[in-house]
Amino acid sequence: MSVKSTAQNVIVSRSRRGAKRGRWRRPVTSLRVRIFLAMVAGALMVLIAAGFAIMNRISDDFDERLAMQSYSAGRVASQFYRQREDQLAHTALVVAGMQSVRSAVSAPSSVPWTQMSADIRTGAQLGANDQIFIYNQRGQLLYADNGSANGSPPLSLTPILTMQASTGEGAESIHGQPALVGGAAINGAAPGNSPIGAVAVTELIGAQLLAQTQQQIGYPCSVFDPAGRFLAASQGDETWPTAFPTLATRPATSPVGSANQPAGQRVPMDKSADVFLLPLFNPHGDLTATVALYVPTTAVRQLQDSVQSLFLALILAGLFVSATVAWLSSRMLVRPIQQLALAADEIAGGHYDHPIPMRGADEVGHLTETFERMRRRIGETTRALVEEKRRSEAEAIVVNAVLNATNDGIIMLDAGGRFRVANRRWETMFGVDSSTLVGLSAEALRDRLRSGMADPDAFDRASEALLRDPERTVYSDEFLQRWPEARTLRRFSAPVREQDGEIIGRVFVYVDISKEREADELKQALLSTVSHELRTPLTTIKGYARTLLIEDWDEDTRREFLRIIDEEADNLSELVDNLLDLSKLEAGVLQIHRQPLLLAPLLQGVVQRRRDTSRQHQYTVHCAADLPLVLGDPRRLEQVVENLIENARKYSAAGSIHVEARRVGEQVEVTVSDQGQGIPPELVERVFERFYRIDNSLSRGTGGTGLGLSICRGLVEAHGGVIRIKETSPQGTTIAFTLPVYTESSAPDREETDGATALSVTTR
């Protein structure tokens, strides 16, 4: 009830008062009724909530009891079938141990199986529903009770016939009918001989077995095939359900059971019965049949209804008691002064927009006037504070948006050297959540950041110098960071001042200059490597050409000099080609003409050329017989293999260089192995970098620009493959790359762009 309506009620009542007692009677009575209704409503809500909770608990308890009843029936049935499978396996052992059976299996063509049938069934004490199947060691059917002339052995005999077990058991389909199966191996006459055959004893899961199941669990049951079709029932009632409960509950895979809960599903049908679906699976995990156990629930449901009815009566009795208590309590709580108390509560709760009606000149009226002045003053002050807070929040949003939009990491400390604010880029640079740094001192913050620096001591010294001098401004501190990412950082720091010049903190700006440093290093590597590699062939060419010009040489010497000049010119041309290929790869304009091709002739041709030009290594190649077509550019793939073989030759003084190709899933993997010095483990990730060589000095004996493997990686990735160091050790290295297998859907028919490499694809 609002303060305004309460005050108006008081004013109206005062105009009709005749005595002090009569003055307050009407509002007190009205308020009493409202308090009473509120208390009754609260009690009713509590009782309803508690009632629903308890009723749900009762329902859950009874559902749990019904579930336990169903799972208990399923557990007993499952144990009964396992026991029956064990009995069938034992019977199979008895049959397999008969001398007449062993002799008959050893010489099946000379044995009258029909005459032996009665002896076998009598000796094994077989039931009328049991059937026997005898197979030789190759799985051929020798004898069957049902007269079948052929048929594959049951899955339960597979481990027996493959000599992995001596017995086997399970549930599976025999000639289209679900059955329990027990099997045993037929051993030869001599001790220690391997099995010469196997015996399978089966029992169909039909009406007879289901009747035995009903005797075990006390409930009727039926069996359905994997498609949900009714097969048989434990009793021949015409009203018996012959439809599978629901397709959604049909088990499709073998569930995992436990000691207290068998593998199966409980399906509540209605209030009269639950159905427990017990799936039977063959040794391969395929569903053989589903046994439905019909568990009656009428008695339990009737008990549940009785308990819930009793509890509902208790709730109604509690509601009556609560109403009585609420009425008595309301008479004691109502007082006239509570009208102003309610108004005070409104103001204390932050509601200042409802004026308090003015009362008379008595004490209550004076108190009302005082409350009204207080309400207006508090309301004006609160609105001013809210407006100021709104403006501050809007400014903070703009500042945060600007900070987070920058690509530099920015952090600010207050005048006391404690963490104040940081943008998202700074959090990313240092792998820190700024919300965990609030109030952290500069020293503690420095200790958290130093662990990620390559030189923590230098970072400490530079930071301490800034903290010692609040006026200091630094423009070019540089640090190497190793965590969370290797990068080079340049730091700017300056004091932050108020408009009057007072220092209120210090700002730090971290700029990532890693790409600049990487570009400088790459430029230096390019200049030093290319200048050296260009100078070497040019010096040789110039020297031999000058020698030819100075003197007259015999024909053999002249040809040798010209051969050397031609070889160095080829080296110079190869260097230029490598630089051009690298440039095209970087620019994304390298042309790849892909077509279906066989790798075997390509690899054999490359290796044969190597055999003709290099005699100090033994070159071998092996391609799998089932090697499929790949989609690639023959010239570029030859370049990849040539580079890998050349790399293997350079880093192995002698020995064998082996090239192999084989299919791995939907890829063809090509490997090049050598017997060289190997690659240090810490350098494996860097060998595919541009201009990187394991021996990085200019006087190295193996020569080269360090571009070969980098170009190989670009070409392989342009074909949709991956290149990697597959294996390395002091005894040699194996480099592998993969190419996608050619399929009709991957046939090239248009201009494509793949990553950073533009592929001009044509079909030849």
Side-chain angles (χ1 to χ4, degrees):
M1 184 175 61
S2 67
V3 177
K4 181 177 181 180
S5 61
T6 302
Q8 289 174 345
N9 287 338
V10 174
I11 293 172
V12 173
S13 65
R14 290 187 62 185
S15 64
R16 299 177 180 179
R17 69 181 183 272
K20 184 175 182 180
R21 183 176 180 181
R23 263 193 321 234
W24 303 101
R25 181 170 300 169
R26 184 170 181 179
V28 168
T29 303
S30 175
L31 185 58
R32 180 188 304 164
V33 172
R34 296 177 185 179
I35 293 176
F36 166 76
L37 293 177
M39 295 180 68
V40 170
L44 181 60
M45 292 176 63
V46 171
L47 288 174
I48 291 175
F52 272 114
I54 296 176
M55 295 284 278
N56 288 335
R57 180 59 182 170
I58 292 174
S59 179
D60 291 343
D61 288 343
F62 277 98
D63 287 342
E64 184 177 357
R65 179 178 299 182
L66 293 174
M68 292 176 60
Q69 184 175 345
S70 296
Y71 280 109
S72 176
R75 182 170 58 253
V76 172
S78 179
Q79 292 173 353
F80 170 69
Y81 291 145
R82 284 198 296 270
Q83 292 173 0
R84 186 58 188 144
E85 290 171 359
D86 292 339
Q87 294 172 359
L88 294 174
H90 178 73
T91 302
L93 278 173
V94 173
V95 175
M98 294 180 178
Q99 180 61 38
S100 59
V101 172
R102 286 202 299 266
S103 301
V105 172
S106 301
S109 60
S110 60
V111 176
W113 289 101
T114 305
Q115 299 176 7
M116 291 178 57
S117 174
D119 297 335
I120 293 174
R121 297 189 68 86
T122 302
Q125 299 180 354
L126 295 176
N129 200 34
D130 297 340
Q131 294 182 341
I132 297 179
F133 301 86
I134 300 178
Y135 301 85
N136 61 17
Q137 200 275 337
R138 294 188 300 274
Q140 296 175 338
L141 180 64
L142 302 178
Y143 169 74
D145 260 357
N146 60 3
S148 175
N150 52 40
S152 302
L155 297 176
S156 303
L157 296 186
T158 301
I160 299 174
L161 295 175
T162 57
M163 295 183 290
Q164 298 177 5
S166 59
T167 60
E169 56 190 49
E172 54 188 289
S173 179
I174 304 296
H175 299 294
Q177 295 293 324
L180 302 180
V181 181
I186 303 174
N187 296 318
N193 284 355
S194 60
I196 61 175
V199 176
V201 180
T202 67
E203 182 177 5
L204 294 179
I205 305 176
Q208 181 176 346
L209 183 60
L210 294 177
Q212 297 175 4
T213 305
Q214 181 176 350
Q215 293 177 358
Q216 294 290 326
I217 64 176
Y219 307 125
C221 50
S222 59
V223 64
F224 299 85
D225 66 8
R229 291 187 292 269
F230 173 80
L231 298 178
S234 61
Q235 59 189 33
D237 190 351
E238 294 181 355
T239 63
W240 189 255
T242 59
F244 203 81
T246 171
L247 293 177
T249 61
R250 185 183 306 161
T253 58
S254 179
V256 178
S258 63
N260 298 322
Q261 182 172 315
Q265 294 173 287
R266 170 182 172 247
V267 183
M269 298 297 291
D270 50 35
K271 285 194 173 184
S272 63
D274 283 355
V275 177
F276 185 83
L277 302 178
L278 179 63
L280 302 178
F281 297 89
N282 65 21
H284 286 179
D286 299 324
L287 183 65
T288 298
T290 302
V291 177
L293 312 178
Y294 295 86
V295 182
T297 60
T298 303
V300 177
R301 294 298 183 188
Q302 290 176 350
L303 178 60
Q304 177 183 352
D305 293 341
S306 300
V307 173
Q308 290 178 340
S309 299
L310 176 61
F311 189 77
L312 181 60
L314 293 176
I315 290 177
L316 294 176
L319 180 61
F320 176 78
V321 173
S322 299
T324 303
V325 173
W327 176 257
L328 295 175
S329 299
S330 65
R331 294 179 59 186
M332 299 173 60
L333 295 176
V334 176
R335 296 291 185 270
I337 199 63
Q338 288 181 340
Q339 306 299 326
L340 289 178
L342 290 174
D345 289 340
E346 285 262 338
I347 295 174
H351 304 289
Y352 315 113
D353 298 330
H354 302 289
I356 303 174
M358 301 302 297
R359 307 174 65 88
D362 57 5
E363 292 80 0
V364 177
H366 179 69
L367 184 60
T368 302
E369 183 180 357
T370 303
F371 264 91
E372 177 62 15
R373 289 198 302 270
M374 179 182 67
R375 181 196 66 78
R376 288 197 297 266
R377 182 172 302 175
I378 294 176
E380 293 171 357
T381 304
T382 301
R383 283 190 289 272
L385 292 175
V386 169
E387 180 63 22
E388 181 64 26
K389 180 181 178 182
R390 186 190 64 78
R391 287 198 299 268
S392 299
E393 290 177 347
E395 293 176 359
I397 291 173
V398 173
V399 172
N400 286 335
V402 172
L403 289 177
N404 290 327
T406 62
N407 196 38
D408 301 331
I410 301 175
I411 181 175
M412 178 182 172
L413 306 182
D414 61 18
R418 295 190 175 276
F419 173 84
R420 183 67 179 274
V421 67
N423 67 350
R424 283 196 291 266
R425 176 58 177 161
W426 184 88
E427 293 179 344
T428 303
M429 279 184 172
F430 292 93
V432 178
D433 183 0
S434 60
S435 63
T436 64
L437 305 178
V438 176
L440 203 65
S441 66
E443 292 77 10
L445 180 61
R446 181 195 63 202
D447 292 340
R448 290 191 62 173
L449 301 183
R450 70 187 303 274
S451 60
M453 298 298 175
D455 189 352
D457 294 335
F459 181 77
D460 290 345
R461 289 192 297 270
S463 301
E464 290 171 359
L466 286 173
L467 296 176
R468 283 196 302 267
D469 185 3
E471 300 284 347
R472 185 176 182 182
T473 300
V474 176
Y475 295 95
S476 59
D477 281 347
E478 291 189 7
F479 308 99
L480 292 178
Q481 190 184 36
R482 63 183 182 186
W483 186 91
E485 182 179 332
R487 57 167 67 94
T488 302
L489 299 178
R490 177 181 293 153
R491 182 173 68 182
F492 164 81
S493 180
V496 180
R497 302 178 185 274
E498 282 274 22
Q499 292 182 355
D500 58 2
E502 180 185 359
I503 295 178
I504 60 173
R506 174 171 285 277
V507 66
F508 297 84
V509 180
Y510 291 87
V511 182
D512 186 354
I513 60 172
S514 303
K515 292 186 177 180
E516 300 175 18
R517 290 289 179 264
E518 182 181 352
D520 291 341
E521 293 173 0
L522 185 60
K523 178 180 177 182
Q524 292 299 325
L526 176 63
L527 291 175
S528 61
T529 301
V530 173
S531 62
H532 174 267
E533 296 300 331
L534 284 174
R535 188 183 300 113
T536 300
L538 285 175
T539 301
T540 302
I541 292 172
K542 184 176 181 180
Y544 279 97
R546 180 175 296 177
T547 302
L548 286 173
L549 292 174
I550 292 175
E551 299 182 23
D552 291 332
W553 301 91
D554 58 77
E555 183 63 22
D556 292 340
T557 304
R558 289 178 66 254
R559 291 184 64 85
E560 177 63 19
F561 285 179
L562 291 174
R563 185 192 64 79
I564 295 174
I565 292 173
D566 180 68
E567 183 177 327
E568 292 300 327
D570 289 341
N571 292 337
L572 186 60
S573 176
E574 180 183 358
L575 173 61
V576 173
D577 289 342
N578 285 341
L579 291 174
L580 288 175
D581 286 344
L582 181 63
S583 174
K584 291 178 180 178
L585 283 170
E586 294 293 333
V589 295
L590 182 67
Q591 301 298 312
I592 302 294
H593 301 282
R594 298 192 295 177
Q595 64 183 54
L597 61 92
L598 282 172
L599 278 179
L602 185 146
L603 298 178
Q604 291 166 357
V606 173
V607 171
Q608 185 58 44
R609 287 196 297 273
R610 280 290 172 176
R611 290 196 187 107
D612 297 339
T613 58
S614 176
R615 301 295 183 181
Q616 64 188 72
H617 293 82
Q618 293 79 44
Y619 296 92
T620 59
V621 60
H622 174 72
C623 297
D626 60 344
L627 204 62
L629 290 172
V630 298
L631 192 63
D633 186 331
R635 185 174 68 86
R636 294 300 183 182
L637 293 181
E638 284 185 358
Q639 182 180 355
V640 171
V641 179
E642 284 277 6
N643 282 351
L644 294 180
I645 294 178
E646 177 64 15
N647 189 74
R649 184 194 66 79
K650 286 182 179 180
Y651 289 96
S652 58
S656 172
I657 296 178
H658 181 65
V659 180
E660 183 175 357
R662 63 190 182 94
R663 179 168 185 164
V664 180
E666 296 302 318
Q667 304 278 332
V668 171
E669 182 183 70
V670 181
T671 59
V672 177
S673 306
D674 61 52
Q675 296 177 342
Q677 57 192 356
I679 302 173
E682 65 274 10
L683 301 181
V684 168
E685 298 298 328
R686 300 196 59 190
V687 295
F688 293 103
E689 295 180 6
R690 294 163 296 179
F691 303 109
Y692 183 79
R693 305 186 73 250
I694 296 177
D695 179 12
N696 228 5
S697 65
L698 292 178
S699 61
R700 54 189 177 265
T702 54
T705 60
L707 295 177
L709 291 182
S710 177
I711 293 174
C712 287
R713 180 178 64 180
L715 293 176
V716 170
E717 290 178 353
H719 282 81
V722 177
I723 188 169
R724 61 191 176 92
I725 303 297
K726 184 175 183 179
E727 183 180 357
T728 184
S729 68
Q731 288 73 41
T733 301
T734 298
I735 300 180
F737 68 90
T738 61
L739 296 171
V741 172
Y742 169 77
T743 60
E744 292 295 332
S745 60
S746 65
D749 56 0
R750 60 186 178 87
E751 188 80 12
E752 301 174 347
T753 298
D754 185 7
T757 304
L759 307 181
S760 178
V761 183
T762 59
T763 302
R764 299 181 178 177

